[in-house]
Amino acid sequence: MEDDTLNRFLEYLETEQNCSVHTLETYGLSFAAFLTWAGSGFPGWRNCSADLFRDWLYEALKKGLSPATIRLRFAALRSLYTWLMKREGMPSNPLADVSLPKLRRGLPVYLNVRQMEELLELPLKTPVDKRQPEWLPWRDAAILELFYSCGLRLSELTALNAGSVQAHLECIRITGKGRKVRLVPVGEPALEAIANYRDRCDLDPRGPLFISRLGKRMSGRSVEQMLEKYIKRSSIPFNVSPHRLRHSFATHLLDAGADLRSVQELLGHASLSTTQIYTHVTKSRMAAVYKDAHPRA
């Protein structure tokens, strides 16, 4: 049976809030998880009680779901009930009295400069499978350079089109969360890597910037697999996700003296508090240097 309430809410997110496809999919999965658990006992969104949501929370904890996953699922539900109260006259929010597990937020894991340089060199040093297009390593090199040069999210990188790169202005046009557009400067090595890739690959000037060997827009999973391949060939002793390249970008900027507000703008963070986690990394490093170097530490 089609859920009219959810359909109206998701349409509101898409048309009025300009939420990204990724956000809509994440919210949809959260609602589906709850509805599957509730099954035939689902009383309708307006009749759900705090106890029902506590039972679902207890079930999630028993299954060992992480606090981050649980909080993500409940964020979707909280957003739904906020909308129901503001737009459809629901008198109260059943989630108001549901306490969620605290999020244990660790420090970002990042590559040091030497590790980053090693990774950036790998695509053009790795033997090429003759069954693959000859431009493939040049594409991979451009992707890694762009991740590090601009601190992109994975979804932002895969959404880039050939026209997103404005080489004459040395910047790139990025559509981030909430479909907010920002212009981010691009370093010369990244621009050169993109030019080398485009010289070898017959791209549609109106199509995606990064394509698969079949000529389709690269998926996020394809980028992750590409990165995994090079990490296995490197001396880097831990797993590296695209988001850890973003962490590396931010940490290296702050280490070199960039101010926090500028890094916030470059990353596309809506709130400065999100960016501030990187200051803990640089502070912890300063503390270690002080302890090692100061005679009275």
Side-chain angles (χ1 to χ4, degrees):
M1 182 176 178
E2 193 166 341
D3 192 322
D4 289 337
T5 298
L6 277 189
N7 286 342
R8 291 197 303 277
F9 174 61
L10 292 172
E11 183 180 0
Y12 156 79
L13 291 178
E14 182 177 11
T15 58
E16 295 189 40
Q17 296 298 305
N18 287 324
C19 286
S20 67
V21 172
H22 176 72
T23 298
L24 294 173
E25 289 177 350
T26 301
Y27 274 34
L29 290 172
S30 299
F31 296 135
F34 174 73
L35 291 171
T36 299
W37 171 80
S40 59
F42 176 62
W45 294 110
R46 289 179 174 274
N47 299 316
C48 287
S49 66
D51 284 340
L52 181 64
F53 288 119
R54 289 191 188 100
D55 288 343
W56 189 47
L57 171 60
Y58 178 66
E59 186 70 21
L61 291 169
K62 278 203 309 182
K63 287 183 176 179
L65 294 184
S66 70
T69 299
I70 292 170
R71 293 181 73 89
L72 185 64
R73 289 184 174 183
F74 273 86
L77 292 166
R78 288 183 190 279
S79 183
L80 169 65
Y81 279 103
T82 298
W83 172 79
L84 281 170
M85 291 176 67
K86 287 183 176 179
R87 291 296 184 90
E88 305 218 344
M90 189 166 175
S92 62
N93 184 345
L95 289 164
D97 296 323
V98 178
S99 298
L100 300 179
K102 290 185 178 180
L103 190 62
R104 298 184 193 92
R105 195 164 192 179
L107 295 178
V109 176
Y110 61 94
L111 284 70
N112 61 37
V113 175
R114 182 194 60 77
Q115 290 168 334
M116 196 70 232
E117 289 174 347
E118 178 188 356
L119 179 60
L120 293 174
E121 292 172 358
L122 275 172
L124 301 183
K125 287 185 175 180
T126 301
V128 181
D129 186 334
K130 292 183 179 179
R131 294 171 296 179
Q132 302 287 359
E134 64 89 21
W135 49 261
L136 212 64
W138 299 93
R139 179 205 67 186
D140 295 351
I143 288 174
L144 295 179
E145 286 283 1
L146 200 52
F147 265 135
Y148 184 49
S149 183
C150 300
L152 303 182
R153 299 178 177 94
L154 176 58
S155 59
E156 292 172 346
L157 181 124
T158 55
L160 291 174
N161 291 321
S164 301
V165 180
Q166 300 179 16
H168 62 295
L169 297 175
E170 296 184 344
C171 68
I172 189 166
R173 188 173 184 270
I174 299 168
T175 303
K177 286 186 175 181
R179 297 182 186 173
K180 293 179 180 177
V181 177
R182 67 186 191 277
L183 286 177
V184 174
V186 186
E188 187 176 336
L191 288 173
E192 184 178 343
I194 292 169
N196 287 334
Y197 157 58
R198 296 183 72 163
D199 285 345
R200 291 163 173 81
C201 183
D202 186 21
L203 289 179
D204 180 348
R206 293 171 296 179
L209 177 60
F210 296 118
I211 61 174
S212 69
R213 60 188 179 84
L214 299 177
K216 304 294 184 182
R217 183 184 297 273
M218 284 188 79
S219 66
R221 183 57 193 144
S222 295
V223 176
E224 290 172 336
Q225 289 172 334
M226 178 271 290
L227 181 55
E228 288 167 7
K229 177 181 73 173
Y230 292 120
I231 292 300
K232 287 177 182 177
R233 291 179 171 271
S234 76
S235 65
I236 299 167
F238 50 84
N239 293 329
V240 177
S241 65
H243 212 69
R244 286 184 174 177
L245 299 183
R246 182 169 160 88
H247 291 330
S248 305
F249 162 84
T251 303
H252 294 174
L253 278 175
L254 288 168
D255 279 347
D259 66 276
L260 198 62
R261 184 69 70 179
S262 296
V263 175
Q264 176 197 359
E265 292 292 329
L266 291 169
L267 290 171
H269 284 162
S271 169
L272 188 62
S273 62
T274 309
T275 317
Q276 283 175 333
I277 189 171
Y278 296 107
T279 64
H280 299 309
V281 176
T282 52
K283 283 177 183 175
S284 64
R285 180 179 296 175
M286 282 191 291
V289 169
Y290 177 82
K291 189 173 181 180
D292 290 340
H294 196 286
R296 290 185 177 271

